[in-house]
Amino acid sequence: NAPSYFHLQSITPLPSMAVSFQSSSNRSYSLYSDVDLSTGTWSSASGPANVSGTGGILTLTNQSPAALQMFLRVGVQLP
C-alpha cells in the first residue's frame, strides 16, 4: 500500500552508530557497513543480525565501527 515504505527514523553517530526505522512484524533486518562504496564490499555490522521486526520502531547498532567515516545499509528479509 502507498503509505507502507521503508525509511529511516534516525541515525546516531559515533561511538556506536545506530539506525532506527519503522519495522514490519513479518520481516527481519540486518545492518551492513562499507568504508568505500566503489568496492561494493558490504560487511555485517558488529551487532545482532536477522533481527525480527516488531511492528514498531527498531534500532540496529554497529557497536564497533571499523572507521570514523562509513556507509550503512539495512538489509530486509522475509523470515
Side-chain angles (χ1 to χ4, degrees), residues 6 9 18 24 26 43 50 63:
F6 182 84
Q9 296 285 329
S24 174
N26 60 346
S43 301
N50 296 318
Q63 298 168 349

Side-chain angles (χ1 to χ4, degrees), residues 8 24 27 30 46 63 65 75 77:
L8 296 179
S24 174
R27 300 283 187 269
S30 298
S46 61
Q63 298 168 349
Q77 303 88 21

